Amino acid sequence: MTEVLRVDPDRPDAAAIARAAECLRSGGLVAFPTETVYGLGAHALDRAAIQRVFAAKERPANDPLIVHVGSVDEASPLVTAFPDAARTLAARYWPGPLTMVLRRSAQVPDEVTAGLDTVAIRVPSHAVARALLDASRVPIAAPSANLFSRPSPTIACHVLADLNGRIEMILDAGPTSVGLESTVVDLAGDVPTVLRPGAIDIGSLRELLPNIRMHRSTGGPSDAAMPSPGMLVKHYAPRTPVILHAGDRAAALRTMKQNAQQRIHAGETVAVLTYSEDVNEWRSSLPVRIVDVGSEADPPAVAARLYAALRECDELNASVILVRSMTTSHPLSNAIHDRLRRAAAS
Ligand code: TXA
Ligand code: MG
């Protein structure tokens, strides 16, 4: 059985944190909230604990984990060098939703990095994550706390739905605020490269590192050019197939409706993941199951609800989930589009 401990998101109870920290230190698996999504934590220097993370998630061993630490100082034993570019980004964005890939030291087990000579490191800002790092006094390896290829968890129920009975404990502090995973930046090569778009957009990073670029796999449809062995295109996906409709609002709605109509005619059940602005449009036209993901004019709200909404769509047992690209321009738009594209990849 997995134990769920409720904690205050801003001022977590010290006794609950102490129990979770003890559990981690002795090789247990503890899911905990970060500002992005819930992570599945394990003692990063304990090989057996790391192997249990992969088993619990059914995650392929070639998909490396992010190591969470409390500060730049705690990161330094894990890397061979902390380049100037990393110092610059850390000063501005740590603690926060930024992960940096750096050359790893011998301290980091191969199991964590999938045998790569680099390690991904992040200093989270969520008070519960920080309290857990403080109390455990070990680096915590934590992938998102979902089964491999399911949407990342943004509330404790999602963790329980995927991992109940497979992990010792969940620290439940309510919904996470960002809702999408951290931005991953590779600083181990010659040119700083964004491997995964996230809450911190490339425009903001470019103000500090003018030569930073986007990895080509984050724009294209194929997974031929994976930036790391684990960065599969199909990811973050519900079980029901997702079809993403591109284009401006009117054109996308038109093709979505045609698609829905044909499927309903053929006896299928259709779910639509809609922006609030489109809800009436659907209500008044076709017998589809509607899940409202939030206002298109409020991208942070859409990001925060996206994974929960995808899971809700899945529970409708529809034959397909239809969704359209967000047309608003916002620092989060790229990350949201990336996740929709991955959810829709087959
Ligand atoms: O927001 C987040 O980053 C959340 C919270 C829990 O911190 N964690 C998370 O972990 O999303 P995960 O394991 O679901 O995603 C980690 C990503 C993967 O795409 C992996 O391929 C990449 O980071 N990664 C990890 N180590 C890497 C490395 N050494 N080189 C390149 N990519 C790496
Ligand atoms: Mg993940």
Side-chain angles (χ1 to χ4, degrees), residues 163-197:
L163 301 177
N164 193 10
R166 298 176 179 220
I167 66 177
E168 276 70 29
M169 203 178 281
I170 303 174
L171 290 173
D172 175 2
T176 59
S177 56
V178 176
L180 301 179
E181 304 83 350
S182 62
T183 306
V184 179
V185 179
D186 186 351
L187 294 168
D190 295 335
V191 182
T193 304
V194 175
L195 302 182
R196 179 174 71 183

PDB file of all heavy atoms in Angstrom, residues 163-197:
ATOM      1  N   LEU A 163       0.600   4.660  -9.760  1.00  0.00           N
ATOM      2  CA  LEU A 163       1.684   4.015  -8.996  1.00  0.00           C
ATOM      3  C   LEU A 163       1.261   3.433  -7.653  1.00  0.00           C
ATOM      4  O   LEU A 163       2.128   3.000  -6.872  1.00  0.00           O
ATOM      5  CB  LEU A 163       2.828   5.026  -8.782  1.00  0.00           C
ATOM      6  CG  LEU A 163       3.461   5.614 -10.056  1.00  0.00           C
ATOM      7  CD1 LEU A 163       4.516   6.653  -9.701  1.00  0.00           C
ATOM      8  CD2 LEU A 163       4.089   4.516 -10.925  1.00  0.00           C
ATOM      9  N   ASN A 164      -0.046   3.396  -7.369  1.00  0.00           N
ATOM     10  CA  ASN A 164      -0.498   2.858  -6.076  1.00  0.00           C
ATOM     11  C   ASN A 164       0.032   1.433  -5.863  1.00  0.00           C
ATOM     12  O   ASN A 164      -0.068   0.599  -6.754  1.00  0.00           O
ATOM     13  CB  ASN A 164      -2.033   2.860  -6.013  1.00  0.00           C
ATOM     14  CG  ASN A 164      -2.556   2.625  -4.607  1.00  0.00           C
ATOM     15  OD1 ASN A 164      -1.788   2.639  -3.627  1.00  0.00           O
ATOM     16  ND2 ASN A 164      -3.851   2.402  -4.491  1.00  0.00           N
ATOM     17  N   GLY A 165       0.618   1.199  -4.700  1.00  0.00           N
ATOM     18  CA  GLY A 165       1.158  -0.117  -4.371  1.00  0.00           C
ATOM     19  C   GLY A 165       2.588  -0.332  -4.858  1.00  0.00           C
ATOM     20  O   GLY A 165       3.246  -1.289  -4.464  1.00  0.00           O
ATOM     21  N   ARG A 166       3.074   0.559  -5.718  1.00  0.00           N
ATOM     22  CA  ARG A 166       4.436   0.406  -6.254  1.00  0.00           C
ATOM     23  C   ARG A 166       5.447   1.293  -5.546  1.00  0.00           C
ATOM     24  O   ARG A 166       6.648   1.152  -5.757  1.00  0.00           O
ATOM     25  CB  ARG A 166       4.459   0.784  -7.737  1.00  0.00           C
ATOM     26  CG  ARG A 166       3.576  -0.096  -8.592  1.00  0.00           C
ATOM     27  CD  ARG A 166       3.579   0.409 -10.022  1.00  0.00           C
ATOM     28  NE  ARG A 166       2.746  -0.463 -10.844  1.00  0.00           N
ATOM     29  CZ  ARG A 166       3.046  -0.833 -12.082  1.00  0.00           C
ATOM     30  NH1 ARG A 166       4.139  -0.387 -12.655  1.00  0.00           N
ATOM     31  NH2 ARG A 166       2.246  -1.634 -12.736  1.00  0.00           N
ATOM     32  N   ILE A 167       4.956   2.277  -4.782  1.00  0.00           N
ATOM     33  CA  ILE A 167       5.857   3.220  -4.111  1.00  0.00           C
ATOM     34  C   ILE A 167       5.427   3.354  -2.649  1.00  0.00           C
ATOM     35  O   ILE A 167       4.286   3.058  -2.305  1.00  0.00           O
ATOM     36  CB  ILE A 167       5.863   4.604  -4.815  1.00  0.00           C
ATOM     37  CG1 ILE A 167       4.502   5.298  -4.699  1.00  0.00           C
ATOM     38  CG2 ILE A 167       6.222   4.437  -6.284  1.00  0.00           C
ATOM     39  CD1 ILE A 167       4.462   6.696  -5.315  1.00  0.00           C
ATOM     40  N   GLU A 168       6.347   3.782  -1.789  1.00  0.00           N
ATOM     41  CA  GLU A 168       6.059   3.820  -0.359  1.00  0.00           C
ATOM     42  C   GLU A 168       5.111   4.953   0.020  1.00  0.00           C
ATOM     43  O   GLU A 168       4.233   4.785   0.860  1.00  0.00           O
ATOM     44  CB  GLU A 168       7.352   3.975   0.457  1.00  0.00           C
ATOM     45  CG  GLU A 168       8.076   2.660   0.732  1.00  0.00           C
ATOM     46  CD  GLU A 168       8.695   2.042  -0.504  1.00  0.00           C
ATOM     47  OE1 GLU A 168       9.070   2.802  -1.428  1.00  0.00           O
ATOM     48  OE2 GLU A 168       8.780   0.797  -0.578  1.00  0.00           O
ATOM     49  N   MET A 169       5.310   6.131  -0.571  1.00  0.00           N
ATOM     50  CA  MET A 169       4.657   7.310   0.000  1.00  0.00           C
ATOM     51  C   MET A 169       4.393   8.386  -1.047  1.00  0.00           C
ATOM     52  O   MET A 169       5.136   8.489  -2.030  1.00  0.00           O
ATOM     53  CB  MET A 169       5.622   7.878   1.057  1.00  0.00           C
ATOM     54  CG  MET A 169       4.999   8.717   2.123  1.00  0.00           C
ATOM     55  SD  MET A 169       6.279   9.228   3.296  1.00  0.00           S
ATOM     56  CE  MET A 169       6.479   7.774   4.306  1.00  0.00           C
ATOM     57  N   ILE A 170       3.327   9.161  -0.816  1.00  0.00           N
ATOM     58  CA  ILE A 170       3.063  10.359  -1.628  1.00  0.00           C
ATOM     59  C   ILE A 170       2.873  11.539  -0.677  1.00  0.00           C
ATOM     60  O   ILE A 170       2.086  11.457   0.268  1.00  0.00           O
ATOM     61  CB  ILE A 170       1.786  10.216  -2.491  1.00  0.00           C
ATOM     62  CG1 ILE A 170       1.867   8.997  -3.407  1.00  0.00           C
ATOM     63  CG2 ILE A 170       1.536  11.491  -3.307  1.00  0.00           C
ATOM     64  CD1 ILE A 170       0.573   8.714  -4.190  1.00  0.00           C
ATOM     65  N   LEU A 171       3.592  12.617  -0.921  1.00  0.00           N
ATOM     66  CA  LEU A 171       3.336  13.866  -0.207  1.00  0.00           C
ATOM     67  C   LEU A 171       2.341  14.648  -1.056  1.00  0.00           C
ATOM     68  O   LEU A 171       2.660  15.075  -2.165  1.00  0.00           O
ATOM     69  CB  LEU A 171       4.630  14.671  -0.028  1.00  0.00           C
ATOM     70  CG  LEU A 171       5.651  14.081   0.949  1.00  0.00           C
ATOM     71  CD1 LEU A 171       6.957  14.890   0.891  1.00  0.00           C
ATOM     72  CD2 LEU A 171       5.093  14.053   2.370  1.00  0.00           C
ATOM     73  N   ASP A 172       1.112  14.786  -0.539  1.00  0.00           N
ATOM     74  CA  ASP A 172       0.043  15.445  -1.294  1.00  0.00           C
ATOM     75  C   ASP A 172      -0.085  16.887  -0.830  1.00  0.00           C
ATOM     76  O   ASP A 172      -0.512  17.150   0.289  1.00  0.00           O
ATOM     77  CB  ASP A 172      -1.268  14.669  -1.057  1.00  0.00           C
ATOM     78  CG  ASP A 172      -2.476  15.344  -1.694  1.00  0.00           C
ATOM     79  OD1 ASP A 172      -2.307  16.401  -2.354  1.00  0.00           O
ATOM     80  OD2 ASP A 172      -3.597  14.808  -1.543  1.00  0.00           O
ATOM     81  N   ALA A 173       0.299  17.816  -1.703  1.00  0.00           N
ATOM     82  CA  ALA A 173       0.195  19.241  -1.361  1.00  0.00           C
ATOM     83  C   ALA A 173      -0.717  19.964  -2.341  1.00  0.00           C
ATOM     84  O   ALA A 173      -0.558  21.158  -2.587  1.00  0.00           O
ATOM     85  CB  ALA A 173       1.585  19.877  -1.340  1.00  0.00           C
ATOM     86  N   GLY A 174      -1.658  19.231  -2.937  1.00  0.00           N
ATOM     87  CA  GLY A 174      -2.572  19.870  -3.885  1.00  0.00           C
ATOM     88  C   GLY A 174      -1.951  20.021  -5.258  1.00  0.00           C
ATOM     89  O   GLY A 174      -0.894  19.447  -5.531  1.00  0.00           O
ATOM     90  N   PRO A 175      -2.605  20.770  -6.141  1.00  0.00           N
ATOM     91  CA  PRO A 175      -2.134  20.885  -7.523  1.00  0.00           C
ATOM     92  C   PRO A 175      -0.812  21.640  -7.646  1.00  0.00           C
ATOM     93  O   PRO A 175      -0.542  22.551  -6.865  1.00  0.00           O
ATOM     94  CB  PRO A 175      -3.259  21.654  -8.232  1.00  0.00           C
ATOM     95  CG  PRO A 175      -4.060  22.292  -7.156  1.00  0.00           C
ATOM     96  CD  PRO A 175      -3.863  21.502  -5.902  1.00  0.00           C
ATOM     97  N   THR A 176      -0.003  21.242  -8.626  1.00  0.00           N
ATOM     98  CA  THR A 176       1.246  21.961  -8.899  1.00  0.00           C
ATOM     99  C   THR A 176       0.902  23.218  -9.705  1.00  0.00           C
ATOM    100  O   THR A 176      -0.137  23.279 -10.347  1.00  0.00           O
ATOM    101  CB  THR A 176       2.222  21.078  -9.693  1.00  0.00           C
ATOM    102  OG1 THR A 176       1.607  20.701 -10.930  1.00  0.00           O
ATOM    103  CG2 THR A 176       2.561  19.818  -8.913  1.00  0.00           C
ATOM    104  N   SER A 177       1.766  24.219  -9.678  1.00  0.00           N
ATOM    105  CA  SER A 177       1.356  25.494 -10.266  1.00  0.00           C
ATOM    106  C   SER A 177       1.626  25.595 -11.763  1.00  0.00           C
ATOM    107  O   SER A 177       0.762  26.055 -12.515  1.00  0.00           O
ATOM    108  CB  SER A 177       1.997  26.661  -9.517  1.00  0.00           C
ATOM    109  OG  SER A 177       3.384  26.522  -9.499  1.00  0.00           O
ATOM    110  N   VAL A 178       2.786  25.159 -12.238  1.00  0.00           N
ATOM    111  CA  VAL A 178       3.096  25.314 -13.670  1.00  0.00           C
ATOM    112  C   VAL A 178       2.324  24.288 -14.505  1.00  0.00           C
ATOM    113  O   VAL A 178       1.688  24.635 -15.502  1.00  0.00           O
ATOM    114  CB  VAL A 178       4.612  25.179 -13.946  1.00  0.00           C
ATOM    115  CG1 VAL A 178       4.897  25.254 -15.440  1.00  0.00           C
ATOM    116  CG2 VAL A 178       5.405  26.250 -13.203  1.00  0.00           C
ATOM    117  N   GLY A 179       2.403  23.026 -14.120  1.00  0.00           N
ATOM    118  CA  GLY A 179       1.636  21.999 -14.815  1.00  0.00           C
ATOM    119  C   GLY A 179       2.359  21.318 -15.961  1.00  0.00           C
ATOM    120  O   GLY A 179       1.927  20.273 -16.420  1.00  0.00           O
ATOM    121  N   LEU A 180       3.429  21.893 -16.464  1.00  0.00           N
ATOM    122  CA  LEU A 180       4.266  21.259 -17.491  1.00  0.00           C
ATOM    123  C   LEU A 180       5.662  21.091 -16.917  1.00  0.00           C
ATOM    124  O   LEU A 180       6.069  21.848 -16.037  1.00  0.00           O
ATOM    125  CB  LEU A 180       4.345  22.123 -18.755  1.00  0.00           C
ATOM    126  CG  LEU A 180       3.023  22.459 -19.451  1.00  0.00           C
ATOM    127  CD1 LEU A 180       3.295  23.350 -20.666  1.00  0.00           C
ATOM    128  CD2 LEU A 180       2.285  21.193 -19.868  1.00  0.00           C
ATOM    129  N   GLU A 181       6.423  20.111 -17.454  1.00  0.00           N
ATOM    130  CA  GLU A 181       7.742  19.827 -16.917  1.00  0.00           C
ATOM    131  C   GLU A 181       8.727  20.972 -17.175  1.00  0.00           C
ATOM    132  O   GLU A 181       8.511  21.814 -18.050  1.00  0.00           O
ATOM    133  CB  GLU A 181       8.299  18.531 -17.528  1.00  0.00           C
ATOM    134  CG  GLU A 181       7.411  17.315 -17.344  1.00  0.00           C
ATOM    135  CD  GLU A 181       6.313  17.215 -18.389  1.00  0.00           C
ATOM    136  OE1 GLU A 181       6.118  18.188 -19.155  1.00  0.00           O
ATOM    137  OE2 GLU A 181       5.651  16.167 -18.434  1.00  0.00           O
ATOM    138  N   SER A 182       9.833  20.931 -16.449  1.00  0.00           N
ATOM    139  CA  SER A 182      10.856  21.980 -16.546  1.00  0.00           C
ATOM    140  C   SER A 182      11.454  22.069 -17.953  1.00  0.00           C
ATOM    141  O   SER A 182      11.464  21.105 -18.711  1.00  0.00           O
ATOM    142  CB  SER A 182      11.976  21.678 -15.544  1.00  0.00           C
ATOM    143  OG  SER A 182      12.594  20.444 -15.849  1.00  0.00           O
ATOM    144  N   THR A 183      11.969  23.238 -18.264  1.00  0.00           N
ATOM    145  CA  THR A 183      12.768  23.437 -19.472  1.00  0.00           C
ATOM    146  C   THR A 183      14.108  22.733 -19.273  1.00  0.00           C
ATOM    147  O   THR A 183      14.746  22.919 -18.244  1.00  0.00           O
ATOM    148  CB  THR A 183      13.015  24.949 -19.691  1.00  0.00           C
ATOM    149  OG1 THR A 183      11.752  25.622 -19.702  1.00  0.00           O
ATOM    150  CG2 THR A 183      13.767  25.214 -20.982  1.00  0.00           C
ATOM    151  N   VAL A 184      14.518  21.897 -20.241  1.00  0.00           N
ATOM    152  CA  VAL A 184      15.811  21.206 -20.132  1.00  0.00           C
ATOM    153  C   VAL A 184      16.796  21.852 -21.107  1.00  0.00           C
ATOM    154  O   VAL A 184      16.538  21.917 -22.311  1.00  0.00           O
ATOM    155  CB  VAL A 184      15.687  19.696 -20.444  1.00  0.00           C
ATOM    156  CG1 VAL A 184      17.053  19.016 -20.343  1.00  0.00           C
ATOM    157  CG2 VAL A 184      14.691  19.017 -19.506  1.00  0.00           C
ATOM    158  N   VAL A 185      17.933  22.342 -20.565  1.00  0.00           N
ATOM    159  CA  VAL A 185      18.966  22.980 -21.384  1.00  0.00           C
ATOM    160  C   VAL A 185      20.252  22.186 -21.285  1.00  0.00           C
ATOM    161  O   VAL A 185      20.735  21.905 -20.179  1.00  0.00           O
ATOM    162  CB  VAL A 185      19.227  24.428 -20.903  1.00  0.00           C
ATOM    163  CG1 VAL A 185      20.319  25.076 -21.741  1.00  0.00           C
ATOM    164  CG2 VAL A 185      17.957  25.262 -20.976  1.00  0.00           C
ATOM    165  N   ASP A 186      20.805  21.821 -22.426  1.00  0.00           N
ATOM    166  CA  ASP A 186      22.072  21.098 -22.472  1.00  0.00           C
ATOM    167  C   ASP A 186      23.221  22.094 -22.502  1.00  0.00           C
ATOM    168  O   ASP A 186      23.346  22.878 -23.447  1.00  0.00           O
ATOM    169  CB  ASP A 186      22.088  20.217 -23.726  1.00  0.00           C
ATOM    170  CG  ASP A 186      23.312  19.308 -23.775  1.00  0.00           C
ATOM    171  OD1 ASP A 186      24.218  19.479 -22.933  1.00  0.00           O
ATOM    172  OD2 ASP A 186      23.347  18.434 -24.652  1.00  0.00           O
ATOM    173  N   LEU A 187      24.059  22.077 -21.440  1.00  0.00           N
ATOM    174  CA  LEU A 187      25.205  22.981 -21.376  1.00  0.00           C
ATOM    175  C   LEU A 187      26.512  22.197 -21.413  1.00  0.00           C
ATOM    176  O   LEU A 187      27.567  22.710 -21.073  1.00  0.00           O
ATOM    177  CB  LEU A 187      25.135  23.838 -20.105  1.00  0.00           C
ATOM    178  CG  LEU A 187      23.952  24.812 -20.078  1.00  0.00           C
ATOM    179  CD1 LEU A 187      23.781  25.403 -18.689  1.00  0.00           C
ATOM    180  CD2 LEU A 187      24.140  25.907 -21.110  1.00  0.00           C
ATOM    181  N   ALA A 188      26.438  20.939 -21.832  1.00  0.00           N
ATOM    182  CA  ALA A 188      27.640  20.100 -21.860  1.00  0.00           C
ATOM    183  C   ALA A 188      28.352  20.184 -23.202  1.00  0.00           C
ATOM    184  O   ALA A 188      29.518  19.819 -23.317  1.00  0.00           O
ATOM    185  CB  ALA A 188      27.275  18.647 -21.548  1.00  0.00           C
ATOM    186  N   GLY A 189      27.678  20.687 -24.212  1.00  0.00           N
ATOM    187  CA  GLY A 189      28.291  20.782 -25.544  1.00  0.00           C
ATOM    188  C   GLY A 189      28.820  22.178 -25.828  1.00  0.00           C
ATOM    189  O   GLY A 189      28.930  23.000 -24.914  1.00  0.00           O
ATOM    190  N   ASP A 190      29.124  22.460 -27.096  1.00  0.00           N
ATOM    191  CA  ASP A 190      29.698  23.756 -27.466  1.00  0.00           C
ATOM    192  C   ASP A 190      28.648  24.867 -27.451  1.00  0.00           C
ATOM    193  O   ASP A 190      28.935  25.993 -27.072  1.00  0.00           O
ATOM    194  CB  ASP A 190      30.313  23.682 -28.869  1.00  0.00           C
ATOM    195  CG  ASP A 190      31.494  22.726 -28.893  1.00  0.00           C
ATOM    196  OD1 ASP A 190      32.090  22.525 -27.806  1.00  0.00           O
ATOM    197  OD2 ASP A 190      31.795  22.174 -29.965  1.00  0.00           O
ATOM    198  N   VAL A 191      27.447  24.527 -27.902  1.00  0.00           N
ATOM    199  CA  VAL A 191      26.388  25.534 -28.003  1.00  0.00           C
ATOM    200  C   VAL A 191      25.251  25.158 -27.061  1.00  0.00           C
ATOM    201  O   VAL A 191      24.737  24.044 -27.122  1.00  0.00           O
ATOM    202  CB  VAL A 191      25.841  25.598 -29.458  1.00  0.00           C
ATOM    203  CG1 VAL A 191      24.777  26.685 -29.578  1.00  0.00           C
ATOM    204  CG2 VAL A 191      26.963  25.820 -30.456  1.00  0.00           C
ATOM    205  N   PRO A 192      24.843  26.075 -26.158  1.00  0.00           N
ATOM    206  CA  PRO A 192      23.712  25.767 -25.266  1.00  0.00           C
ATOM    207  C   PRO A 192      22.471  25.425 -26.082  1.00  0.00           C
ATOM    208  O   PRO A 192      22.145  26.143 -27.031  1.00  0.00           O
ATOM    209  CB  PRO A 192      23.495  27.064 -24.481  1.00  0.00           C
ATOM    210  CG  PRO A 192      24.639  27.950 -24.767  1.00  0.00           C
ATOM    211  CD  PRO A 192      25.344  27.443 -25.974  1.00  0.00           C
ATOM    212  N   THR A 193      21.805  24.321 -25.709  1.00  0.00           N
ATOM    213  CA  THR A 193      20.695  23.828 -26.530  1.00  0.00           C
ATOM    214  C   THR A 193      19.499  23.456 -25.658  1.00  0.00           C
ATOM    215  O   THR A 193      19.654  22.746 -24.661  1.00  0.00           O
ATOM    216  CB  THR A 193      21.157  22.571 -27.306  1.00  0.00           C
ATOM    217  OG1 THR A 193      22.311  22.906 -28.058  1.00  0.00           O
ATOM    218  CG2 THR A 193      20.068  22.067 -28.245  1.00  0.00           C
ATOM    219  N   VAL A 194      18.320  23.949 -26.026  1.00  0.00           N
ATOM    220  CA  VAL A 194      17.092  23.561 -25.327  1.00  0.00           C
ATOM    221  C   VAL A 194      16.665  22.183 -25.824  1.00  0.00           C
ATOM    222  O   VAL A 194      16.365  22.004 -27.003  1.00  0.00           O
ATOM    223  CB  VAL A 194      15.953  24.577 -25.572  1.00  0.00           C
ATOM    224  CG1 VAL A 194      14.649  24.089 -24.934  1.00  0.00           C
ATOM    225  CG2 VAL A 194      16.330  25.943 -25.009  1.00  0.00           C
ATOM    226  N   LEU A 195      16.658  21.200 -24.921  1.00  0.00           N
ATOM    227  CA  LEU A 195      16.259  19.840 -25.298  1.00  0.00           C
ATOM    228  C   LEU A 195      14.761  19.636 -25.119  1.00  0.00           C
ATOM    229  O   LEU A 195      14.162  18.829 -25.804  1.00  0.00           O
ATOM    230  CB  LEU A 195      17.005  18.808 -24.445  1.00  0.00           C
ATOM    231  CG  LEU A 195      18.531  18.845 -24.486  1.00  0.00           C
ATOM    232  CD1 LEU A 195      19.099  17.730 -23.619  1.00  0.00           C
ATOM    233  CD2 LEU A 195      19.041  18.710 -25.919  1.00  0.00           C
ATOM    234  N   ARG A 196      14.183  20.335 -24.135  1.00  0.00           N
ATOM    235  CA  ARG A 196      12.744  20.212 -23.889  1.00  0.00           C
ATOM    236  C   ARG A 196      12.202  21.589 -23.525  1.00  0.00           C
ATOM    237  O   ARG A 196      12.619  22.170 -22.530  1.00  0.00           O
ATOM    238  CB  ARG A 196      12.486  19.235 -22.729  1.00  0.00           C
ATOM    239  CG  ARG A 196      11.003  19.073 -22.390  1.00  0.00           C
ATOM    240  CD  ARG A 196      10.744  18.011 -21.340  1.00  0.00           C
ATOM    241  NE  ARG A 196      11.188  18.410 -20.017  1.00  0.00           N
ATOM    242  CZ  ARG A 196      11.132  17.635 -18.930  1.00  0.00           C
ATOM    243  NH1 ARG A 196      10.673  16.392 -19.030  1.00  0.00           N
ATOM    244  NH2 ARG A 196      11.556  18.076 -17.770  1.00  0.00           N
ATOM    245  N   PRO A 197      11.251  22.134 -24.304  1.00  0.00           N
ATOM    246  CA  PRO A 197      10.671  23.422 -23.941  1.00  0.00           C
ATOM    247  C   PRO A 197       9.839  23.287 -22.676  1.00  0.00           C
ATOM    248  O   PRO A 197       9.248  22.241 -22.423  1.00  0.00           O
ATOM    249  CB  PRO A 197       9.789  23.787 -25.139  1.00  0.00           C
ATOM    250  CG  PRO A 197       9.627  22.552 -25.945  1.00  0.00           C
ATOM    251  CD  PRO A 197      10.658  21.549 -25.512  1.00  0.00           C
TER     252      PRO A 197
END
